[in-house]
Amino acid sequence: MDYKKQNNPAERPLVEKVLRGDTNAFKVIMKNTEGLVAQIIFKMIPDSEDRKDIAQEIYLKAYRNLASFKFHSKLSTWIAQIAYNTCINFLEKRKLVFFYNGNDHNESVDEVPGIQHHNPDPSDNETEKLLFKQQLSKILKTEIDKLSPVYKTLITLYHNEELSYAEIAEISRLPEGTVKNYLFRARKILRDNILLTYKKEEL
Amino acid sequence: MKDKHLSDAEIQQYVLQKKCDAYTLEHMRHCTNCKIKAVQYRLILDGIKAQEKPVFEFSLAELVIEQLPEHQQKKPNGRAFSYYISFMAIFFALIIFYLFGSNLISLFKGITPISIGLIITTVTGLLVILCIDMYKKYRMKIQILNFD
């Protein structure tokens, strides 16, 4: 996707065109950044109607404040920052808890058989492997959804969008160390919860 | 080799192929328990990477474009605005001094220089603290509103 390009030189003329009133140029910016914005909104906002309103609000904000964009970062990072802040503000206004995770338990799951039965050995049957992957993907999606909005956003930005720690820190305005720490915790919660799900299914 | 298993943080580092020390690499070669944990983390990370990317079920561009104002307006120049405010403040101060200057001077005539010094220091100190506080609050609000 376009937003992954480093220091995209096409951004400056595009922004200047928008500032001169070219709405088509803004459409291009939207097209280039919509994927990243969607990732953030879908991970943070549960209701689809709210998502629609927030998505519009983000781009209207970006348009109104484009003149203040100083090219210190990528345009996509700047817009993602607006998206993240807008979502956080929305959650705060609605008094939705965005850090609590109900499944953040300390129970040891090391002895849970779970995934270890599914050894991804290349000698395994291909169909079995495919089925396992599909099953895991489904469970994973459910478990990611159970994470707190901030955790699932950070984990998606890092592992799915493949953004760097620095970019995520800029988007979320969290120190890089905090981003790393949250990512570690999110991965651990995810693993523990998946193992518990497997355990429950086996009982 | 120590009996202790690797921590989750160390295993995650290993799976993410970040810097690992020799002990971690050696331990991973022999410890089945940690190997299993690493495989589990690897599967989870691959699974997240393979997750379908969300797409809006409506045309966002169309919705936004029809709400855009006719022409993008440039933000007022912040520096010019602060010059204007400073100029106005100096202008009004001069007018006040011109009108009530003699009264103000006679007001301070009876006070000892040490008292004047104390008053000026206290007022300046308070003003500096207030200005710093106002600036901090302003920066915070600007950050929240994404205006920078």
Side-chain angles (χ1 to χ4, degrees):
Chain A
M1 276 196 189
D2 282 354
Y3 59 79
K4 281 180 193 158
K5 285 178 191 166
Q6 294 288 326
N7 303 318
N8 190 345
E11 277 180 354
R12 198 176 280 269
L14 211 54
V15 169
E16 281 164 3
K17 273 184 185 176
V18 177
L19 293 176
R20 285 197 298 270
D22 185 346
T23 48
N24 280 329
F26 193 66
K27 238 183 195 173
V28 176
I29 292 177
M30 285 187 72
K31 203 178 147 223
N32 292 344
T33 55
E34 203 179 303
L36 184 58
V37 169
Q39 281 280 29
I40 295 170
I41 296 177
F42 272 77
K43 291 292 169 286
M44 296 194 89
I45 311 296
D47 184 72
S48 62
E49 274 307 304
D50 290 336
R51 281 177 192 156
K52 196 174 176 179
D53 294 340
I54 287 170
Q56 292 174 68
E57 191 187 329
I58 289 162
Y59 280 106
L60 288 171
K61 250 187 199 177
Y63 183 80
R64 278 197 301 268
N65 298 295
L66 202 58
S68 63
F69 176 59
K70 299 283 184 283
F71 298 94
H72 294 318
S73 64
K74 284 190 280 177
L75 185 61
S76 60
T77 308
W78 184 72
I79 293 176
Q81 199 180 71
I82 297 175
Y84 184 86
N85 277 342
T86 310
C87 291
I88 288 281
N89 288 344
F90 174 84
L91 294 176
E92 275 177 344
K93 266 184 211 159
R94 292 281 177 98
K95 308 267 180 230
L96 293 172
V97 183
F98 50 89
F99 266 108
Y100 171 74
N101 185 288
N103 295 323
D104 195 354
H105 47 74
N106 292 316
E107 188 185 338
S108 170
V109 288
D110 287 346
E111 284 74 43
V112 178
I115 287 174
Q116 68 211 50
H117 285 175
H118 302 272
N119 186 7
D121 190 332
S123 62
D124 276 357
N125 182 304
E126 283 299 314
T127 322
E128 205 175 286
K129 266 164 73 177
L130 192 72
L131 276 171
F132 167 67
K133 269 192 175 175
Q134 283 173 348
Q135 193 193 359
L136 178 69
S137 173
K138 218 172 134 187
I139 292 173
L140 201 54
K141 194 178 179 305
T142 316
E143 293 304 329
I144 291 173
D145 283 341
K146 282 185 198 165
L147 287 175
S148 67
V150 171
Y151 281 178
K152 59 181 159 183
T153 305
L154 297 191
I155 213 163
T156 306
L157 292 182
Y158 188 77
H159 292 293
N160 196 254
E161 290 296 324
E162 294 173 348
L163 298 186
S164 66
Y165 289 130
E167 281 173 308
I168 298 173
E170 210 175 329
I171 290 169
S172 60
R173 298 198 183 211
L174 291 169
E176 232 178 274
T178 310
V179 170
K180 285 180 191 171
N181 187 24
Y182 284 177
L183 278 169
F184 159 72
R185 275 152 66 177
R187 286 189 286 254
K188 189 172 182 322
I189 292 168
L190 213 49
R191 175 184 165 270
D192 291 355
N193 289 349
I194 288 172
L195 289 180
L196 277 180
T197 308
Y198 266 85
K199 190 187 178 187
K200 273 180 205 161
E201 279 181 4
E202 284 180 3
L203 286 172
Chain B
M1 200 178 86
K2 287 182 233 170
D3 292 337
K4 227 175 120 190
H5 288 301
L6 296 176
S7 66
D8 277 85
E10 285 167 322
I11 294 174
Q12 284 190 20
Q13 288 286 309
Y14 173 81
V15 173
L16 291 166
Q17 291 166 340
K18 304 275 177 192
K19 268 186 184 173
C20 290
D21 55 27
Y23 171 71
T24 305
L25 295 172
E26 185 59 24
H27 185 93
M28 286 306 290
R29 230 171 274 147
H30 300 103
C31 179
T32 320
N33 193 309
C34 291
K35 259 188 208 172
I36 289 168
K37 258 188 169 184
V39 169
Q40 291 166 348
Y41 273 120
R42 170 60 36 223
L43 280 170
I44 290 168
L45 300 190
D46 288 346
I48 300 170
K49 202 174 172 182
Q51 288 285 302
E52 235 174 74
K53 297 192 176 192
V55 183
F56 292 117
E57 58 271 23
F58 49 88
S59 172
L60 181 60
E62 273 175 33
L63 282 174
V64 172
I65 296 295
E66 64 191 29
Q67 292 177 65
L68 295 181
E70 279 298 299
H71 189 67
Q72 171 77 303
Q73 285 176 340
K74 280 239 169 194
K75 271 186 101 178
N77 191 336
R79 195 166 286 180
F81 183 69
S82 58
Y83 284 147
Y84 174 74
I85 292 285
S86 312
F87 172 77
M88 291 303 282
I90 293 166
F91 179 72
F92 281 112
L94 285 175
I95 287 182
I96 288 167
F97 193 76
Y98 176 74
L99 293 173
F100 308 106
S102 53
N103 295 359
L104 284 171
I105 289 165
S106 65
L107 195 74
F108 287 101
K109 263 183 183 165
I111 307 172
T112 56
I114 196 152
S115 306
I116 293 172
L118 271 172
I119 291 166
I120 290 171
T121 316
T122 315
V123 170
T124 316
L126 282 172
L127 273 175
V128 168
I129 291 167
L130 281 173
C131 286
I132 291 170
D133 187 51
M134 267 169 64
Y135 184 72
K136 273 185 185 168
K137 279 181 184 164
Y138 162 79
R139 291 294 312 161
M140 222 168 71
K141 282 177 186 171
I142 287 290
Q143 273 193 350
I144 290 167
L145 290 167
N146 282 307
F147 282 100
D148 64 343

